[in-house]
Amino acid sequence: MSLQVKDLTISYGSNVVLKDINFTIQDNTIIGLVAPNGTGKTTLFNAIIRFIPINKGQIIVDGKVYKNTTRDVRALHKLVTFFPDQAELYEDFTGVEHIQMYRDIWNPEEKDVQKIIDRLNMDGYVRDKVKTYSLGMRQRLCFAMMIAANTKIMFMDEIMNGLDPVNVELVSRVLQEIKEEGKIIIVASHLLGNLDDYSDEIYFLNNKDVYFSYDRKTNTREFIKGYVSKDKLEALQPLPADTLYLETDRICIPLDGFEHDYDRFEVVELLRSLSDEEVSIGVLGTQEHYLRIYKGEQSLEPDTSDGEGGQTDEDDETVTGYTAEESGTRKSRRREETSVADSDTRF
């Protein structure tokens, strides 16, 4: 199965919300959707399931174009489910009744919902009325309803909202399991680090379009990732091309910008000395791309202003204790002092 959105444009009067959006998703795929408020996420979902009129473009499932006719909309809704809003739950119904209701609408052949209840560890409360549920219990119920529907295409908006870390891990694992049943799943979430745990590809909505996407299987370029304040940047100079300096003082330095392992090791140790934050090595994740796309990059030029946190004309020394001359000769000096054992270091 495949889902294709072709040349999709949505506007309300002169206000264009989405413009010429194109993507194709194959089955056995989870797409993580990053879409800050106002970028058109809800509009995109509603357009795909034909809840709203489309100004231009096509929604195509398995080669069939689904138009805005009663027959096509009904057929499309047999293939697609949208994550329920907690406000749609019936307070005086039990969790079991909700799960059975979604099963009866979309998947009546399935007689036993108990395996869904067991899979999501809901047996302790699922027969109680929903009005007794906590936020996290309601959220797991909504997820269980989606599993009971068992449609080929699933849209899940803020699925992790209200879940504790144990249940975030549980739902993430189940998402990966049901994906393997041939499903297309789009998960919109503000829990950015968690998207990297289960998504195959990440889409970023911005400027009325899928502004950027990356495939986690092919996204293999590794970076040294840490934090450094602007007034301490000079200690890291010179920095390789493609170094990213992001909001929150996040810095990402490409590993392939260094010829030798000992240069990489030195930068890791230097970052650790400049900040108490964790230093890691890995590919750019959703968090880094989010900062780059929505917050922008900071200049890599060191802060040379006078006063606290800056340099003085008298001694030209940074708050880290490195002089400009020492920082500029850091790499060459390290090569002279590094032993053979250091050169065998692997990251």
Side-chain angles (χ1 to χ4, degrees):
M1 172 168 284
S2 64
L3 168 65
Q4 182 181 5
V5 174
K6 184 177 181 181
D7 299 328
L8 178 67
T9 295
I10 304 292
S11 61
Y12 300 98
S14 60
N15 179 30
V16 179
V17 181
L18 301 172
K19 185 176 181 180
D20 295 329
I21 286 187
N22 289 275
F23 59 79
T24 300
I25 308 171
Q26 302 296 332
D27 56 10
N28 290 67
T29 301
I30 299 177
I31 299 294
L33 181 63
V34 179
N37 294 336
T39 54
K41 171 193 66 179
T42 302
T43 300
L44 176 61
F45 282 162
N46 285 336
I48 294 175
I49 57 180
R50 303 308 303 247
F51 276 175
I52 59 175
I54 294 174
N55 299 89
K56 187 184 77 169
Q58 295 177 322
I59 307 301
I60 305 168
V61 179
D62 265 358
K64 174 179 169 52
V65 178
Y66 284 81
K67 299 179 181 179
N68 192 28
T69 65
T70 300
R71 173 183 284 185
D72 277 6
V73 171
R74 284 179 176 172
L76 186 61
H77 288 183
K78 291 180 180 179
L79 300 174
V80 183
T81 43
F82 195 99
F83 194 74
D85 191 300
Q86 290 192 15
E88 299 171 0
L89 300 176
Y90 295 93
E91 296 293 315
D92 287 321
F93 281 24
T94 68
V96 171
E97 289 172 321
H98 282 86
I99 297 170
Q100 290 172 336
M101 177 173 59
Y102 262 56
R103 176 206 60 188
D104 292 344
I105 294 172
W106 277 281
N107 186 27
E109 296 81 10
E110 178 60 57
K111 301 303 180 184
D112 183 18
V113 299
Q114 185 60 43
K115 60 185 179 182
I116 299 173
I117 294 167
D118 293 339
R119 192 177 195 178
L120 294 175
N121 297 331
M122 299 173 63
D123 206 39
Y125 68 87
V126 75
R127 291 168 183 82
D128 299 333
K129 292 184 177 181
V130 167
K131 62 185 177 183
T132 66
Y133 289 11
S134 67
L135 175 63
M137 293 160 69
R138 290 168 182 260
Q139 198 73 352
R140 257 191 295 169
L141 173 59
C142 291
F143 185 50
M145 292 159 65
M146 293 284 285
I147 296 177
N150 198 33
T151 55
K152 288 292 186 180
I153 302 172
M154 297 179 169
F155 296 158
M156 302 199 181
D157 191 7
E158 298 301 337
I159 185 175
M160 303 298 177
N161 186 35
L163 298 182
D164 59 30
V166 172
N167 283 302
V168 166
E169 183 179 354
L170 171 64
V171 170
S172 300
R173 185 177 70 250
V174 174
L175 278 172
Q176 292 174 304
E177 292 170 356
I178 63 176
K179 175 194 78 170
E180 297 302 327
E181 299 169 5
K183 301 194 183 305
I184 295 170
I185 304 172
I186 302 180
V187 180
S189 178
H190 288 88
L191 201 58
L192 302 180
N194 176 245
L195 280 177
D196 290 331
D197 292 337
Y198 54 79
S199 299
D200 299 292
E201 192 170 357
I202 310 290
Y203 289 176
F204 295 80
L205 275 183
N206 196 32
N207 294 337
K208 307 171 186 177
D209 196 0
V210 178
Y211 178 84
F212 176 76
S213 67
Y214 75 95
D215 187 327
R216 295 185 60 248
K217 292 180 182 177
T218 59
N219 180 43
T220 58
R221 192 183 189 192
E222 292 193 315
F223 290 73
I224 301 169
K225 301 190 290 186
Y227 293 87
V228 61
S229 58
K230 187 76 171 177
D231 59 302
K232 298 180 181 180
L233 262 180
E234 189 170 5
L236 290 168
Q237 301 290 352
L239 286 163
D242 296 336
T243 295
L244 296 176
Y245 189 42
L246 305 168
E247 289 294 318
T248 69
D249 293 337
R250 183 68 159 167
I251 191 164
C252 304
I253 308 168
L255 275 183
D256 56 19
F258 302 98
E259 184 178 357
H260 301 288
D261 281 340
Y262 49 69
D263 292 322
R264 301 174 186 125
F265 177 79
E266 180 185 14
V267 170
V268 169
E269 291 302 305
L270 186 53
L271 270 175
R272 286 173 175 159
S273 73
L274 296 174
S275 171
D276 292 332
E277 300 288 344
E278 180 185 20
V279 179
S280 63
I281 294 176
V283 300
L284 294 180
T286 301
Q287 178 68 41
E288 286 85 27
H289 286 300
Y290 177 93
L291 292 172
R292 178 179 62 82
I293 293 168
Y294 300 110
K295 302 297 183 181
E297 297 180 40
Q298 298 191 71
S299 170
L300 282 167
E301 292 298 318
D303 184 358
T304 57
S305 60
D306 292 342
E308 185 178 353
Q311 295 177 327
T312 64
D313 294 335
E314 286 80 7
D315 58 10
D316 198 34
E317 187 172 352
T318 70
V319 294
T320 65
Y322 284 83
T323 66
E325 180 181 1
E326 287 171 335
S327 178
T329 59
R330 170 176 54 81
K331 289 176 67 176
S332 60
R333 185 178 66 249
R334 176 64 183 173
R335 286 195 182 96
E336 294 170 359
E337 296 175 352
T338 302
S339 66
V340 173
D342 285 332
S343 68
D344 290 336
T345 303
R346 293 293 179 267
F347 294 91

